[in-house]
Amino acid sequence: MPPNTEFVGPIAKSRKKADLIDIANGLGIESTGTIPVLVSRIQEYLKNHQELAADPKFQKLFMYRPGAAERKQAESKVTGKNSADKGAEDAAEAVKPSAPATGANKKLIELQVKSDPPPQYGRLGPLNVQSSLPQVSATEEDDEEVTTPDASEPMDFEEEDINPRFVTPEFEYPKSPVDIIVNIHNIDNRKILPREVWVRESDAVPLTFAYTRDNRLSATARLSQLLPAVLENDSPIKEIGGRIYWEGKTSTASRVQLGTVAAIASDELPPQLRMDGLDKIILFPNEHGDYECELFWDGVIPSPALSGSH
């Protein structure tokens, strides 16, 4: 093998015997024997000659990087330098002129700031509300006890601080007011075109907007507020009467009776609309930005074509 060849580890029993013989010859040690004997002999020699880790020819034989002390010892054996030589080099390096300051370091030097300002400490409070707490001095703190809000207790807010129309402020909501379309189907015959009743969002019929888990915008209304407005806008249903139904909760084929038209139009609500599960209905926007929902009615308005004289 050429004299300038770099030897590569690892020194293990999986290596070929010819490679181990070349390594032993390169190290100048006995190169005869079996593979385990050669591995043990080379490993023992490398362990006792750590300075070879600094020699590029043998560096790759070492399976680990020597520590700082071992590295210095190996370098000193290769270069012949001792600690006194290293100290002289460090002293010469210290008197060299430093590079001109730039960036933030230059600005600090111009302002004659010798060190960073001391850290600022403040009292921590629950819910990160310490900035709103009154600042007191040490003497005031001795005289008067400062109380902080308990995170376990609900915080009081003024009613005007909460907008009931919005639930989560992370999304963009439609501008108020919006139009509500209630499609009233015949409960016995879905082939009959539904009655499309329009109601405007107002203080009497408020909507609460939110986004579903699939980022779909929806609006929630109360039927106890929405249905009286629907009957007011569609007088034929109010005159004919009958019962209003909602699609069942357990099956799309089932129907839930919400009450009679007469009871819904009166001041006394039907018992069903006093339950949150039946009173609240979710509306979704259509392509025009109006919000729709589906209801059912068991009454039928006669067609004008079938009434009157022939």
Side-chain angles (χ1 to χ4, degrees):
M1 182 175 288
N4 294 328
T5 300
E6 293 184 4
F7 296 99
V8 180
I11 307 302
K13 296 178 182 180
S14 59
R15 294 293 298 271
K16 294 181 180 180
K17 185 175 182 179
D19 295 340
L20 296 174
I21 292 175
D22 290 339
I23 294 173
N25 290 331
L27 293 172
I29 61 176
E30 179 65 34
S31 60
T32 60
T34 62
I35 290 179
V37 172
L38 288 171
V39 168
S40 177
R41 186 182 299 145
I42 294 172
Q43 288 178 344
E44 184 68 21
Y45 185 84
L46 293 176
K47 179 179 178 181
N48 296 329
H49 295 80
Q50 294 289 329
E51 69 276 5
L52 294 178
D55 189 337
K57 184 177 179 180
F58 301 105
Q59 278 180 344
K60 296 181 181 179
L61 293 177
F62 290 82
M63 296 298 295
Y64 65 94
R65 185 181 296 275
E70 294 176 341
R71 219 167 29 246
K72 288 182 180 179
Q73 183 180 6
E75 290 175 357
S76 62
K77 288 185 179 181
V78 174
T79 61
K81 294 181 181 179
N82 52 27
S83 59
D85 298 330
K86 182 63 176 174
E89 291 179 356
D90 293 341
E93 195 70 26
V95 299
K96 289 183 178 180
S98 58
T102 59
N105 186 25
K106 179 180 179 182
K107 188 66 176 180
L108 291 174
I109 294 176
E110 292 175 354
L111 297 175
Q112 297 181 353
V113 178
K114 297 182 180 180
S115 61
D116 293 337
Q120 303 293 323
Y121 299 97
R123 179 178 301 180
L124 294 177
L127 301 179
N128 295 328
V129 296
Q130 66 270 18
S131 60
S132 62
L133 297 177
Q135 302 296 324
V136 296
S137 62
T139 56
E140 293 174 341
E141 198 170 354
D142 295 337
D143 299 336
E144 183 178 356
E145 182 180 358
V146 179
T147 60
T148 57
D150 188 359
S152 62
E153 298 180 359
M155 301 182 69
D156 294 332
F157 296 96
E158 297 293 337
E159 282 193 10
E160 55 268 19
D161 294 338
I162 302 177
N163 188 344
R165 189 171 187 266
F166 299 143
V167 175
T168 52
E170 296 86 3
F171 297 93
E172 183 179 353
Y173 294 94
K175 295 181 179 180
S176 179
V178 299
D179 290 326
I180 305 168
I181 303 176
V182 181
N183 296 304
I184 303 178
H185 300 269
N186 184 276
I187 195 170
D188 298 319
N189 189 356
R190 286 296 296 264
K191 294 182 179 181
I192 299 177
L193 293 177
R195 297 188 64 79
E196 188 176 293
V197 185
W198 288 60
V199 177
R200 190 74 164 170
E201 180 194 8
S202 63
D203 293 337
V205 187
L207 295 180
T208 301
F209 291 84
Y211 276 82
T212 60
R213 292 182 178 178
D214 56 354
N215 292 336
R216 187 181 178 191
L217 182 62
S218 66
T220 302
R222 287 192 174 273
L223 289 172
S224 57
Q225 299 168 333
L226 178 60
L227 284 179
V230 169
L231 297 178
E232 191 67 28
N233 291 359
D234 195 310
S235 55
I237 293 181
K238 188 175 181 181
E239 293 174 0
I240 294 174
R243 289 178 293 271
I244 302 292
Y245 299 83
W246 192 20
E247 192 171 73
K249 294 285 189 178
T250 59
S251 170
T252 56
S254 62
R255 300 287 181 264
V256 179
Q257 182 185 159
L258 299 176
T260 64
V261 172
I264 294 172
S266 65
D267 295 335
E268 185 177 354
L269 289 176
Q272 292 88 334
L273 294 185
R274 298 174 191 170
M275 306 178 189
D276 275 350
L278 296 178
D279 189 24
K280 292 182 180 179
I281 186 170
I282 299 178
L283 306 90
F284 290 98
N286 58 21
E287 58 183 359
H288 304 294
D290 308 312
Y291 286 77
E292 298 188 28
C293 65
E294 310 290 327
L295 293 176
F296 297 88
W297 177 49
D298 60 6
V300 178
I301 296 179
S303 173
L306 301 178
S307 61
S309 59
H310 292 284

